[in-house]
Amino acid sequence: MEGLDTLTRSLAQRTPEQLAALLTRHAEPLARRPAPTELRGLASALWSYETLHHLVLHLDHPRLQVLAATARLSQERAARDAHGPTAPAAGADYQSLMAHRLSFAQLATAPVPPEDVFTALGVTGHARTAAEAGLRALYDDGLAAPTEDGSVVVPPRAPQLLAAHDLGPFLVHAPELVPDDTADPGTPAASVPATSLHDESRAAAATLAATVDRLLASLATQPAALRKAGGLAVREIKRLAKAAGASEPHTRLLLDLALAADLIALTRTPAGITALPTGAYDDWLLLPPGRCLAPVLAAWSALWAIPTHTPFGETPTALVRGHDRHAPALRHALLATLAAVPLGAGAPLPHTPSPGPEPARTDAALRGLLEAADWHRPLAVSRQPMAAERAAHTLHEAACLGLVAHGTLTPLGRALLADPRSLDEPLGDLLPPLLERAHFQADLTAVVPGRPAAALAGLLASAADRESEGHAVTWRFTPTSVRRALDAGHSAGTLLDDLTRASTTGTLPQPLRYLVQDAARAHGRMRVLPAACCIRSDDESLVKELAAHRALHSLALRAIAPTVLVSSSPPAATLEALRAAGYAPALESDTGATTVERLPAHRTTAPTPTRDPHAPLTLARRLLGLSPGSQDTATSSGV
């Protein structure tokens, strides 16, 4: 209790801005507990075992060394100063044994003078300066608190949490990456221009934006069903990978990121649980390219999973709640290590190992990377199972997201490492604005030399087939694709007008105009009635042609009038058979009006609202007993 009192008094001495910064840094673990209503509740949350375990994973080597040394000394002092025996007497009865067991005497801690900590670490000069900075950082993070006489108190569980880890000697700086000795010393290092980092990051970001767009559009048209055991079935992942134009591991990664960014959600339907876009997806489509990718990349930095890594014996899946609390710390450690690698000096990405019963071999470059990364997050890198496999897959994910290239961080990777919440500006520099005009060509193609805006992409997708991806996107107009636009409610006039407004020149090639007009003349010459059903057309010769067509034999067409046929199949199947045979029918309602056929657009509600960026400061003022608009700072009095 004395430690919690000390931490509570320490928190009360902070300004609202300082306390809000603490709440923001620890937003992830604190969000898993009820929101505190008083400072002592916040102190209890920070020193609870679950929160403490999460926080120590994100400590670098100096801070963890200081915390571990303080915790060990604190426990030793508590044991030395304890009143009475530290263990039950020999031959004690059951009640005495249980009373001792429930007293948690082994969790007792005592204040430790900082000088004793530095002596135990054996630090002097620059090392002592680093240790003192580490202690101040622990104070800022609420993982330690100063008493009135200047001693240090730590959470009661800290000694047990850190006792099993041998952290080695105190290191002020991260180890330097050692070049691969297996390389031929006579081979000169490849020269890498500085501009290539920006170019590769821009290309990766553009590809990522287009892939996520296609993936979410596919989910909006056809939601994905989850297995009863949880996660997407392999066939669903294959379908979505084909629609997105990505590999299956890459698709699993993007699905998990979209779920974490609240762009898709899992919803229960009579048929089971399905994944489909949320209402935020519609707003997302209207954002500039940089702001589109910002929530996706921020979600990757905090994701409790490595989606592209599937341990041996497990089935690859996606949209499963992650339980790998070490993954965010591993990402930070790897990115922080690569941030110190000069351009041209980094090693290529390691091969992604395939799952197998035997551990994958670790090359020298990856071993050196893991050793250096250990300094940044000592408990989350090489001390975890399958460290090399997890690191290799994490690096490949970073490369797919445009964060890593040529063995070092790209400017986008450095921005993510500095602050995952401030990516709009670096992404805006990487990705040009969305294009709202296309180049229409005489070969019946439309080319957009960049990423098209949502309205332009929707217009072209309704009347043409996407033919190629890359820096330029190409659509091709065909009679079938134009009929698709007419089926969706366009007339020849409205379609030509919309395409003309989308043209960079304000005109359309003559072949495209002829194609649209020819398709419109043939469109709707026959009508499908929802009467189980009927086909009617004013062209009697066309009705006779349909009745005799061999490809339509399955419809069992019968003429009931010179202009009317009866089909044994329902309207949807009749329409499909007619179009497969090369005709262009239109669906008609029972009132005689043409029915517009549209692709379904499924949406659901995100499970939680987007976090208010001002919420930490509001909570900090409430915990300090200040009114929301007050500019006063907290006093040094206890709470």
Side-chain angles (χ1 to χ4, degrees), residues 174-178 197 300 329-350 365-376 381 391-400 402-417:
E176 294 185 3
L177 290 179
V178 179
L197 279 181
W300 182 75
L330 171 63
R331 290 188 192 96
H332 181 94
L334 293 173
L335 295 184
T337 302
L338 293 179
V341 178
L343 181 61
L349 286 176
L366 183 55
R367 283 197 302 270
L369 180 62
L370 293 178
E371 291 173 2
D374 269 333
W375 186 90
H376 294 279
V381 184
H393 284 279
T394 300
L395 291 172
H396 278 274
E397 290 179 5
C400 289
L403 307 174
V404 172
H406 301 298
T408 187
L409 286 192
T410 64
L412 180 58
R414 295 179 187 276
L416 181 73
L417 181 64

Side-chain angles (χ1 to χ4, degrees), residues 355-520:
E358 298 296 329
R361 295 179 58 186
T362 308
D363 57 36
L366 183 55
R367 283 197 302 270
L369 180 62
L370 293 178
E371 291 173 2
D374 269 333
W375 186 90
H376 294 279
R377 295 294 184 266
L379 301 185
V381 184
S382 58
R383 285 177 171 81
Q384 297 304 313
M386 299 178 288
E389 294 180 25
R390 289 158 48 81
H393 284 279
T394 300
L395 291 172
H396 278 274
E397 290 179 5
C400 289
L401 299 176
L403 307 174
V404 172
H406 301 298
T408 187
L409 286 192
T410 64
L412 180 58
R414 295 179 187 276
L416 181 73
L417 181 64
D419 187 0
R421 298 161 300 171
S422 302
L423 297 177
D424 289 353
E425 183 176 348
L427 281 168
D429 294 339
L430 278 179
L431 298 176
L434 296 176
L435 299 180
E436 299 181 355
R437 300 287 184 271
H439 298 278
F440 292 90
Q441 304 181 126
D443 62 351
L444 298 179
T445 60
V447 179
V448 181
R451 188 182 173 207
L456 177 60
L459 172 63
L460 294 177
S462 70
D465 298 321
R466 193 185 293 247
E467 194 171 68
S468 69
E469 294 288 348
H471 294 295
V473 188
T474 303
W475 279 268
R476 180 171 295 278
F477 293 89
T478 66
T480 301
S481 68
V482 174
R483 284 201 304 267
R484 185 173 67 236
L486 299 175
D487 292 339
H490 275 290
S491 67
T494 59
L495 180 57
L496 289 173
D497 289 344
D498 290 345
L499 294 176
T500 301
R501 283 192 293 269
S503 173
T504 55
T505 61
T507 60
L508 295 178
Q510 192 177 58
L512 179 57
R513 287 188 169 275
Y514 285 167
L515 175 64
V516 173
Q517 291 166 356
D518 290 344

Side-chain angles (χ1 to χ4, degrees), residues 4 7 11 14 19 22-23 26 29-30 33 39-53 55 140-143 155:
L4 284 178
L7 177 59
L11 295 174
R14 305 188 184 208
L19 191 58
L22 171 68
L23 293 169
H26 301 335
L30 291 178
R33 300 173 58 89
L39 284 178
R40 187 174 181 82
L42 176 60
S44 299
L46 290 172
W47 281 11
S48 67
Y49 183 78
E50 283 297 322
T51 304
L52 180 64
H53 189 190
L55 296 181
D140 292 340
D141 284 339
L143 294 177

Side-chain angles (χ1 to χ4, degrees), residues 276-297:
L276 65 161
T278 65
Y281 167 59
D282 297 307
D283 299 331
W284 181 85
L285 287 173
L286 304 177
L287 295 176
R291 293 185 62 189
C292 281
L293 289 186
V296 176
L297 296 180

Side-chain angles (χ1 to χ4, degrees), residues 169-369:
F170 187 89
L171 300 177
V172 178
H173 302 291
E176 294 185 3
L177 290 179
V178 179
D180 188 358
D181 296 335
T182 60
D184 184 0
T187 303
S191 176
V192 180
T195 56
S196 64
L197 279 181
H198 183 276
D199 293 341
E200 294 206 19
S201 184
R202 179 175 56 187
T207 301
L208 174 65
T211 306
V212 174
D213 192 5
R214 292 193 297 270
L215 178 64
L216 295 178
S218 177
L219 276 176
T221 303
Q222 181 180 350
L226 272 68
R227 303 175 302 178
K228 291 183 179 180
L232 284 183
V234 174
R235 67 176 180 276
E236 287 281 27
I237 295 177
K238 289 181 180 293
R239 173 180 72 83
L240 293 172
K242 181 178 180 181
S247 65
E248 291 179 31
H250 193 192
T251 302
R252 297 199 306 268
L253 169 65
L254 297 184
L255 284 169
D256 284 355
L257 295 183
L259 180 65
D262 290 335
L263 295 176
I264 62 177
L266 307 183
T267 184
R268 186 175 296 278
T269 67
I273 298 177
T274 59
L276 65 161
T278 65
Y281 167 59
D282 297 307
D283 299 331
W284 181 85
L285 287 173
L286 304 177
L287 295 176
R291 293 185 62 189
C292 281
L293 289 186
V296 176
L297 296 180
W300 182 75
S301 68
L303 194 65
W304 278 35
I306 303 176
T308 59
H309 177 229
T310 304
F312 176 71
E314 296 185 10
T315 302
T317 187
L319 304 182
V320 177
R321 178 179 172 84
H323 297 282
D324 185 359
R325 69 172 68 207
H326 300 86
L330 171 63
R331 290 188 192 96
H332 181 94
L334 293 173
L335 295 184
T337 302
L338 293 179
V341 178
L343 181 61
L349 286 176
H351 295 291
T352 50
S354 13
E358 298 296 329
R361 295 179 58 186
T362 308
D363 57 36
L366 183 55
R367 283 197 302 270
L369 180 62

